[in-house]
Amino acid sequence: MPQPDLDPATTALLTVECQNGVVGEESALPELAKEARDSGMLGRVAALVDAAHAAGVQVLHAIAERRPDGLAANANARLFRAAGKLPVRQLSGSPAVQVAAPIEVAGNDLVVRRLHGLSPIAGTDVDALLRNLGIRTLVVTGVSSNIAIPNTVFDAVNLGYRVVVPSDAIAGVPAAYTAEVIRNSLALVATVTTAEALLAQWAPAR
């Protein structure tokens, strides 16, 4: 498995939808939340965030939310319509849209919130922020390997970023699907590695 060269000056770590209402104890998606916790994914993301902070790697947290009145939210797919009926909703300002423990948010982390769509990049500030920071490589972590993670990877590649995916720091349901989407899709456009390998690279700067 090739190991990318992750220069802290030009690398950013992105956590995708690692929020209470998605991967926390009171998740709207309990099966996904259980997989994120039981697989160790959430703990590995937290460890990567800690290592990135220590190494001087910029961290961004992508949060999906919606207004209480649902104004301007998508309704053009079954997923969006179902989300609006769940008992736990990702409402702006609620605990559901706070970054989930054990991930620590540092003072210079950027939290990017979106009210629409499937991607943390398309139609958000992420690309502009990364370019302003001089970022060329994006490490993508979080959930889910079903939808948001592939969207993030493809959007970033289309925008010219080199993308790195630690295979054990993303999750989806069923669990076996994550390995399949990595093997058959993400590995074709991104560098696939592991959380341990990234931690080893950032360790000397800690």
Side-chain angles (χ1 to χ4, degrees):
M1 185 176 292
Q3 300 306 319
D5 179 19
L6 301 178
D7 179 359
T10 58
T11 300
L13 172 66
L14 179 68
T15 74
V16 177
E17 296 181 22
C18 290
Q19 58 201 75
N20 289 328
V22 176
V23 297
E25 295 289 343
E26 302 297 325
S27 171
L29 304 165
E31 185 181 2
L32 177 59
K34 185 177 188 300
E35 173 61 21
R37 293 192 303 270
D38 292 355
S39 68
M41 183 225 80
L42 195 56
R44 283 187 285 271
V45 173
L48 286 170
V49 168
D50 288 346
H53 289 156
V57 173
Q58 180 65 54
V59 177
L60 298 88
H61 305 279
I63 302 296
E65 60 182 53
R66 59 190 293 135
R67 287 168 50 111
D69 59 8
L71 184 66
N74 287 73
N76 58 332
R78 184 163 61 94
L79 174 68
F80 299 124
R81 295 190 293 273
K85 299 174 183 177
L86 292 172
V88 177
R89 300 172 64 201
Q90 315 300 321
L91 299 182
S92 301
S94 73
V97 297
Q98 294 174 357
V99 175
I103 298 170
E104 295 286 342
V105 180
N108 65 339
D109 287 5
L110 296 170
V111 179
V112 182
R113 303 179 181 277
R114 76 179 194 274
L115 290 171
H116 65 88
L118 298 170
S119 171
I121 293 180
T124 74
D125 292 335
V126 168
D127 180 41
L129 295 174
L130 294 176
R131 292 186 188 281
N132 286 347
L133 291 163
I135 300 300
R136 300 303 308 146
T137 300
L138 187 64
V139 179
V140 176
T141 66
V143 294
S144 73
S145 57
N146 304 76
I147 295 175
I149 295 296
N151 266 269
T152 304
V153 171
F154 294 138
D155 285 347
V157 170
N158 284 330
L159 288 167
Y161 295 97
R162 183 178 64 152
V163 178
V164 176
V165 178
S167 60
D168 53 354
I170 65 171
V173 289
Y177 180 75
T178 298
E180 292 299 322
V181 77
I182 289 171
R183 181 182 305 111
N184 296 304
S185 296
L186 303 187
L188 302 178
V189 296
T191 298
V192 177
T193 185
T194 64
E196 182 181 12
L198 297 185
L199 292 170
Q201 284 203 48
W202 288 334
R206 297 167 87 177

